[in-house]
Amino acid sequence: MIRLVAAEWLKLRTLKSFWICAGTALVLTPAAAALSGLLAAGVFQTVIIVLAAVVPGSEYASGTIRTTFLATPRRTAVMAAKALVVTVVAAVLGAVCLMLAYVVVTPADVHYGTVVGRSAVDIGYCVLVALFAFAVTLAVKHTASAVSLALSAVLLVRLVLMVVSMMLGADPSTAFWNL
């Protein structure tokens, strides 16, 4: 399994789209936080959906998934290794980007534990979104379709949760989906 994870990490980091997504996340997440408050997680989730869809989608698009399955016939092990790489990349990139965003928008008098606790929730949410986008890509086997489906689903869920919370009288500006 360690060799599979190492191979998947090598495949991911040799993609230009990985570096473009990572750079975009590092620039746009703090910029969005500076311009519009705490909407950084929303911007980051969009980038992480694209990144998570690229992992299996690039292999399906180029046809190299057949070579991968010939080298390792256990498909579940290959997909588990890909999912582990997506999880780690989403968590690490999320930690860096969201901490940069919180440094930009958080006042100096806020306690460190508050920022870390909020970041942990946001990072966990982004990891779940990344795994969802990964699963959608495995189902449709096409990167662009997976990105549009996953992004639509995530945004629709956020919208429904916001409407329900407003119907119940809660303040939607303090909810986790309005980050």
Side-chain angles (χ1 to χ4, degrees):
M1 184 69 172
I2 293 173
R3 289 182 182 171
L4 283 174
V5 172
E8 293 304 324
W9 170 237
L10 177 66
K11 285 189 256 184
L12 179 62
R13 73 174 189 248
T14 56
L15 291 173
K16 287 181 187 177
S17 54
F18 167 71
W19 295 107
I20 291 170
C21 285
T24 302
L26 286 170
V27 170
L28 285 185
T29 305
L35 294 175
S36 60
L38 293 175
L39 291 174
V43 170
F44 181 72
Q45 86 177 2
T46 305
V47 175
I48 206 69
I49 285 173
V50 173
L51 183 62
V54 162
V55 173
S58 64
E59 281 197 83
Y60 281 112
S62 65
T64 56
I65 194 74
R66 285 174 272 187
T67 307
T68 301
F69 288 148
L70 282 173
T72 309
R74 296 183 332 244
R75 292 177 183 221
T76 55
V78 171
M79 292 307 161
K82 286 182 184 298
L84 182 62
V85 168
V86 166
T87 301
V88 170
V89 167
V92 170
L93 193 59
V96 171
C97 291
L98 294 175
M99 284 307 232
L100 285 173
Y102 289 137
V103 165
V104 169
V105 297
T106 305
D109 60 346
V110 174
H111 297 291
Y112 178 73
T114 305
V115 173
V116 171
R118 186 172 178 132
S119 295
V121 170
D122 290 344
I123 292 166
Y125 173 72
C126 288
V127 167
L128 289 176
V129 166
L131 289 174
F132 175 70
F134 177 78
V136 169
T137 308
L138 290 180
V140 298
K141 295 178 177 53
H142 190 262
T143 307
S145 300
V147 168
S148 62
L149 286 171
L151 192 57
S152 298
V154 168
L155 293 177
L156 183 65
V157 166
R158 290 179 91 174
L159 180 67
V160 168
L161 289 174
M162 191 180 310
V163 168
V164 167
S165 72
M166 287 193 301
M167 288 173 61
L168 295 175
D171 183 14
S173 64
T174 60
F176 76 92
W177 54 85
N178 199 24
L179 299 172

